[in-house]
Every structure is written in structure tokens, then in C-alpha cells.
């Protein structure tokens, strides 16, 4: 009974209007860290672009987290962006450099898909071009950017917090989706 009660509470707190898209991450530890962060922030889904690298999630880093979050696979970034845009998501590409806006200045009045790029090369040209906005985490030190899993943690935590504040409640999943999550 306590486990079922906890599952109901968590399912009622899940948010589907914030998600992350992982474009071509190489390191299974980074993938797992982002999956674990997304689940810990109460997100409902992680989108994974599997071109050219297949999705691999280290079980040692995200023990059980991938059981409680939807992993949605895409063959390329265009497919991922098109499906999210059709669902009404703002596509926010995490990036550095000219043309980026500080992440805390974007509106959270509509669903947000955060696109994160590979560890070595960052976002692809296609991911940048297909985004609605490029956002950045302002840095105070000499380092130019955070590790992808650290950047995702900061951004997902803050975007989901702000989105929930905008909604005025913790979760936004429909009754049917919530019930499906509880029934796993």
C-alpha cells in the first residue's frame, strides 16, 4: 500500500510539458546521468536522437530511473523537433556563443523541449537551425561550459520549477497517462 501511494503521488507530480532531447550523446554515463536527473525532476520523457550513436544508458548511474521515465527514440534531430513542435513545444537548444540568450530569460508559458548536444561537438548545425531559441548557462569562471550532464541538471531543474510555478500545480499529465505510469 505504501509503494502504491508513493507511485500515485509521484505520477500526480509528473510534468510532460518539459522534456529533454539528447542529440547523439556518446558516453553512457552522461546519458544515464541526464535520464536520472530528468526522472528526479519529475519529467515524463527523455527524447533520444540515435544518429549515429545508439542509446546506451549505464545501469550503474541511473539504477531504475529509466523504468519510471519514457525513453522516446528518434532517428534524427529533425524527427524529434518536428514531433515536439507539433505537440506545441518551444524548442530550446542549449548552446554557447553569440546569439544565445540566458536560460532564465525564456518564457515558460508553453511546453519546453531542451535540446542538449554531444559531449565533444555540442549541438549539430541542424539542431541549432531547427531550434526556436538558443539558450546558455552564463559562466562565472574561466571554463566555457559545463559537462552535458551538469548543464542538463541545472537547466532541467530550473525550467521544470519555473514551468510548474507558471502552471500553478506540480503535475500536468492527463488522467489516462498518470494511470498508465502507475500501472507499470
Amino acid at each position: 500500500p505504501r509503494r502504491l501511494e508513493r507511485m500515485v503521488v509521484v505520477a500526480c507530480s509528473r510534468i510532460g510539458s518539459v522534456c529533454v532531447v539528447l542529440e547523439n550523446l556518446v558516453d553512457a554515463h552522461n546519458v544515464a546521468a541526464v535520464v536520472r536527473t530528468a526522472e528526479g525532476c519529475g519529467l515524463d520523457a527523455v527524447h533520444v536522437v540515435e544518429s549515429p550513436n545508439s542509446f546506451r544508458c549505464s545501469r550503474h548511474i541511473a539504477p531504475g530511473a529509466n523504468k519510471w521515465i519514457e525513453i522516446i527514440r528518434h532517428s534524427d534531430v529533425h524527427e524529434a523537433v518536428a514531433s515536439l513542435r507539433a505537440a506545441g513545444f518551444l524548442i530550446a537548444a542549449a548552446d554557447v556563443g553569440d546569439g544565445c540568450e540566458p536560460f532564465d530569460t525564456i518564457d515558460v508559458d508553453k511546453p519546453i523541449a531542451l535540446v542538449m548536444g554531444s559531449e565533444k561537438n555540442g549541438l549539430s548545425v541542424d539542431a541549432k537551425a531547427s531550434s526556436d531559441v538558443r539558450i546558455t548557462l552564463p559562466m562565472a569562471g574561466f571554463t566555457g561550459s559545463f559537462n552535458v550532464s551538469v548543464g542538463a541538471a541545472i537547466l532541467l531543474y530550473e525550467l521544470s520549477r519555473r514551468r510548474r510555478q507558471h502552471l500553478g500545480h506540480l503535475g500536468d499529465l492527463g488522467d489516462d497517462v498518470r494511470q498508465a505510469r502507475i500501472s507499470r
Side-chain angles (χ1 to χ4, degrees), residues 14 19-20 25 43-44 49 84 92 99 107-108 122 138 142 173 181:
R14 286 279 186 224
C19 69
V20 63
L25 266 62
L43 276 55
D44 188 55
V49 175
L84 289 162
D107 289 330
V108 293
F142 290 110
L173 300 181
R181 300 305 180 256

Side-chain angles (χ1 to χ4, degrees), residues 74-180:
H74 301 277
S75 59
D76 60 50
V77 73
H78 294 292
E79 176 190 319
V81 167
S83 70
L84 289 162
R85 188 167 279 128
F89 279 77
L90 172 78
I91 310 302
D95 200 7
V96 294
D98 294 337
C100 292
E101 298 178 28
F103 78 95
D104 56 353
T105 63
I106 66 168
D107 289 330
V108 293
D109 59 341
K110 65 189 283 189
I112 301 167
L114 174 67
V115 184
M116 304 291 295
S118 73
E119 298 89 345
K120 183 177 179 183
N121 300 321
L123 293 168
S124 69
V125 172
D126 289 343
K128 291 179 188 182
S130 62
S131 67
D132 299 312
V133 62
R134 290 174 42 233
I135 62 172
T136 192
L137 277 164
M139 303 296 291
F142 290 110
T143 303
S145 67
F146 288 109
N147 171 281
V148 66
S149 65
V150 173
I154 295 166
L155 291 168
L156 291 176
Y157 179 85
E158 188 60 19
L159 291 172
S160 63
R161 184 195 66 77
R162 289 179 57 216
R163 178 73 179 152
R164 284 185 172 99
Q165 186 176 26
H166 171 77
L167 294 171
H169 47 86
L170 290 178
D172 65 2
L173 300 181
D175 291 338
D176 56 334
V177 176
R178 268 198 315 269
Q179 190 58 44

